[in-house]
Amino acid sequence: MPDETPRVDLSQLESVYAPLADSIRRLLDVSIRSEAEPAAVASAKAKIDAAAAELGETAQPGPVGVRHTPDGQAVAWGNAVIGVRNPVAPPLVVRHEADGLVWSEFTLGPAYEGPPGHVHGGVCALVLDHVLGATAHQPGRPAYTGTLTLRYRRRTALERPLRAQAHVERTDGVKTFAVGHLADEDGVTVEAHGIFIHPRQPPG
């Protein structure tokens, strides 16, 4: 089936929508931390509601999925980990080395809290699922999570530099086996093993 996703101007996307997502991330952060008086909270809420109404006038229904630039580059607008337009995403910038290593360095703030002062275990899983999956994903040959096994070695602190990395351990037919971890400056906090499935291409 031909690619029917819209093609977009990536530079416009980055210059207009990425700063909007950054501003909303800051809003999420301060709304968690704020000790403002009720009147100030009510005033801020009214302004937020007005902004949401203005932006909502042109909102499209359903998931935004992936868009493509004129040169064919895929842009994940709404992805929960790397989405340029998703303020819930940290967002991660995932790097690919020539030797197959995939990694990302980032910091997670209070929006990702689980135990007090620490990253929610489900958020750790989300990040590692994406980074391990990136080792298996290839242009034109996507890979989907089959299983993801985690070992939480210790808690992952909020607001400290973190690094997630992974590499392919082996491949077996349509399955890619990847291993990786999440770490802070004191060492590994979460280990991960994943099996990622490449869907079989339908007969041409």
Side-chain angles (χ1 to χ4, degrees):
M1 177 180 295
D3 180 8
E4 297 177 353
T5 55
R7 295 182 181 273
V8 299
D9 183 340
L10 180 59
S11 63
Q12 181 185 33
L13 173 68
E14 293 179 341
S15 66
V16 176
Y17 294 112
L20 174 62
D22 284 339
S23 291
I24 298 172
R25 287 187 192 100
R26 290 195 296 274
L27 180 62
L28 288 171
D29 184 87
V30 298
S31 69
I32 295 170
R33 301 174 187 267
S34 178
E35 299 293 337
E37 295 295 326
V41 173
S43 174
K45 178 183 179 300
K47 294 171 185 174
I48 294 166
D49 288 345
E54 180 178 359
L55 293 172
E57 291 177 358
T58 56
Q60 301 300 306
V64 297
V66 174
R67 301 295 190 269
H68 290 82
T69 62
D71 63 0
Q73 180 181 352
V75 182
W77 282 18
N79 185 281
V81 180
I82 62 171
V84 175
R85 293 186 61 176
N86 187 349
V88 173
L92 268 62
V93 176
V94 178
R95 312 290 187 184
H96 295 257
E97 301 292 347
D99 63 0
L101 180 70
V102 174
W103 60 276
S104 184
E105 293 180 342
F106 51 94
T107 301
L108 297 175
Y112 305 98
E113 188 170 40
H118 295 84
V119 181
H120 194 291
V123 173
C124 297
L126 175 72
V127 167
L128 286 167
D129 178 48
H130 189 92
V131 173
L132 267 69
T135 68
H137 186 83
Q138 302 168 15
R141 191 168 184 248
Y144 301 98
T145 309
T147 62
L148 183 67
T149 303
L150 303 175
R151 179 189 176 200
Y152 293 86
R153 297 181 58 176
R154 58 187 177 85
R155 293 185 294 179
T156 302
L158 291 170
E159 300 186 297
R160 293 181 66 182
L162 300 173
R163 178 183 173 99
Q165 68 178 56
H167 65 273
V168 172
E169 188 176 51
R170 62 187 174 91
T171 58
D172 182 5
V174 299
K175 296 180 180 180
T176 294
F177 297 76
V179 297
H181 64 255
L182 180 65
D184 60 21
E185 60 188 6
D186 295 323
V188 174
T189 62
V190 186
E191 297 173 341
H193 293 74
I195 303 174
F196 298 86
I197 312 298
H198 299 276
R200 297 186 186 276
Q201 298 297 321

